[in-house]
Each structure stands twice: as structure tokens, then as C-alpha cells.
Amino acid sequence: MKKYQEIFNDLKEKILTAIYPADTLLPTEKKLQDIYHVSRDTIRKALTLLTERGLIQKVQGRGSLVLRQELLNFPVSGLTSYQELSQALNLASQTRVVSLDLITINSNLSRLTGFEAHSQVWKVVRTRSIRGNLSVLDIDYLSHAIIPHLSKEEAEKSIYAYLEGELGLDIAYAQKEITVEPTSQEDRKLMKTQDKYLVLIKSRVFLSNTQQFQYTESKHKIDRFKFVDFARRKHSL
């Protein structure tokens, strides 16, 4: 493990255990250099990881502010699974598989998902709870040609861990669309809510060979999630 990753893990642990409490500033970059005996560049790489995970926010002229974790800070631009994110933030979370079916794509689903009509996909419906509060409804469509077998047990744990670890797939990138949508009757039933709106993230996910293997609709309760991103301005030459 590289030094900046070790520092990231140490700082993350100290944030999650309130050694560095929410709404306070981390030590300055110079102080962190002295604490860990590393270069400024190494500290900045560790701080960048903390920012990307939604644990801190850089405040101009003040430093690195520790963010509250009542909300799950969901990185918009990254390709991080729910399980990976909840584990990284040390959250008590639970996944329930509502249904797992092998279906055939019709013309309407083909336009929605990007999969060819008449192809077969796994349709997986799951709910996610954080600290006992039901917060997310995920509907996944996964190519049967690429993923010939998928069990309820694998879907309850981490589909990406199964795809990468067991099947050896190289998951590369995703195209995402984020909107606020009215809740349907089915949404309200599965998410146990009377909320009128939810945040919908539609994603088409591809392997390194550019082959699409997944389409996902991830529906989030507005009051449970904060969507964050890490952006860098590219200076013109």
C-alpha cells in the first residue's frame, strides 16, 4: 500500500471515530507533513481521496473541513458500488433483494436500457437501508450473455465483487444521468415513503472492451443523500 493510501486510511478512521469531529478543520497540510513525515504532495494525495469519498471539503482560506456523515455523500463522477461506499464510510447498512428474475428485453426496455431487443438480462430489484432507515431503491439490468449465473446471495453481498473477483470482468466506465422525479406508487411501496419526489440516477455501465453489461436505475430519498463531486479546472496553456 502506498504511503498516501496509509495516511488516507488513518485520517478516515480518525474522522469516523470523531478524533477529528464533524464541522472542525483537519490539521494544516504543513502540520500533517510533520505528523506523518512525508512530502506535501503525499499529504495532498491523501486529502484528495478524503474529498472524493465525501469525508472532507476544502474551504478557501481555512483548510479541510470535516463533513457530517448523517447523509451518505455519494460521489457523482466515480464508479463506486454502494457496498464499497458504505464500507469505506464504515456505515451500518443492509441490502435486501426484493426480486431476481431472468427476463427478455422488449423494444421499450431496449430504448431505456441500451440492450438489444430479445436479449436476456437479469433484473435485480434491491433496497438499501442505512442505520435502519430505508434510503435507496436499486433496479439493475445485467447482461445474461456476460453474466450467465447470478444468485440472490451474490446480489445481497456485492454484485461488483462477484463480477470482478469471480468472473474476472474489467469494469471500466459509466454514463450517468441524474434527475429529480415524482415517486410512483411502486416506489412509495418499496421505499416505504410518502415522499413526492426522489433523486434518480440512471447509469449505463461498460467493460474495458466498451461492451455494455449493466443498466441501473438508482432511486434515492432526497433527505438521505448528498451528491458530491471532485472537480479540477484545467488551466489553458
Side-chain angles (χ1 to χ4, degrees):
M1 183 181 296
K2 294 182 179 179
K3 188 65 179 179
Y4 74 89
Q5 293 172 316
E6 293 178 6
I7 296 170
F8 159 73
N9 287 331
D10 187 60
L11 290 172
K12 180 185 76 172
E13 181 66 21
K14 288 176 177 175
I15 289 170
L16 295 176
T17 56
I19 292 175
Y20 295 132
D23 299 324
T24 65
L25 296 171
L26 290 182
T28 64
E29 290 183 5
K30 180 63 172 66
K31 181 64 175 176
L32 290 173
Q33 282 181 254
D34 294 338
I35 292 172
Y36 293 104
H37 307 290
V38 294
S39 69
R40 189 176 187 181
D41 183 60
T42 299
I43 292 298
R44 286 185 169 179
K45 286 181 179 180
L47 294 177
T48 295
L49 285 180
L50 291 172
T51 303
E52 291 174 344
R53 298 299 191 278
L55 292 169
I56 65 170
Q57 179 179 335
K58 302 289 285 185
V59 180
Q60 184 69 32
R62 294 182 61 198
S64 299
L65 179 69
V66 178
L67 297 175
R68 291 189 175 275
Q69 295 304 308
E70 282 87 355
L71 302 177
L72 180 56
N73 294 295
F74 201 92
V76 173
S77 60
L79 187 46
T80 305
S81 73
Y82 173 88
Q83 293 287 6
E84 290 168 338
L85 188 60
S86 60
Q87 288 171 10
L89 297 178
N90 220 14
L91 294 176
S93 65
Q94 181 181 14
T95 295
R96 182 175 77 90
V97 178
V98 178
S99 61
L100 170 59
D101 300 292
L102 185 61
I103 67 169
T104 300
I105 294 290
N106 59 29
S107 57
N108 289 333
L109 272 180
S110 178
R111 286 190 292 271
L112 174 68
T113 65
F115 291 117
E116 290 186 5
H118 310 300
S119 63
Q120 287 193 308
V121 298
W122 299 104
K123 181 180 179 181
V124 188
V125 180
R126 296 176 291 178
T127 59
R128 318 285 201 168
S129 298
I130 302 172
R131 300 187 184 99
N133 297 309
L134 204 161
S135 304
V136 186
L137 172 63
D138 281 339
I139 304 172
D140 294 283
Y141 299 84
L142 299 133
S143 170
H144 180 256
I146 297 173
I147 306 160
H149 177 268
L150 183 64
S151 70
K152 181 179 178 180
E153 290 71 27
E154 288 151 352
E156 280 181 343
K157 295 175 184 176
S158 171
I159 290 178
Y160 275 19
Y162 169 65
L163 299 185
E164 294 175 320
E166 297 294 325
L167 300 186
L169 298 180
D170 186 7
I171 301 171
Y173 63 96
Q175 296 173 344
K176 297 185 180 183
E177 174 186 311
I178 304 174
T179 56
V180 175
E181 302 286 344
T183 51
S184 67
Q185 184 175 350
E186 185 69 9
D187 293 335
R188 291 191 290 272
K189 177 182 176 182
L190 291 175
M191 299 183 78
K192 298 179 181 178
T193 182
Q194 294 302 315
D195 292 350
K196 294 182 179 180
Y197 296 93
L198 50 76
V199 175
L200 171 62
I201 305 178
K202 296 180 180 179
S203 304
R204 294 185 181 185
V205 192
F206 300 82
L207 302 176
S208 57
N209 64 4
T210 73
Q211 188 174 11
Q212 181 182 343
F213 74 93
Q214 179 185 22
Y215 169 80
T216 295
E217 291 189 352
S218 190
K219 303 180 179 185
H220 301 252
K221 287 184 179 178
I222 292 176
D223 64 345
R224 294 299 302 162
F225 280 77
K226 178 167 63 178
F227 297 90
V228 299
D229 198 3
F230 176 79
R232 187 187 303 278
R233 178 172 171 78
K234 182 178 180 181
H235 295 287
S236 58
L237 299 177

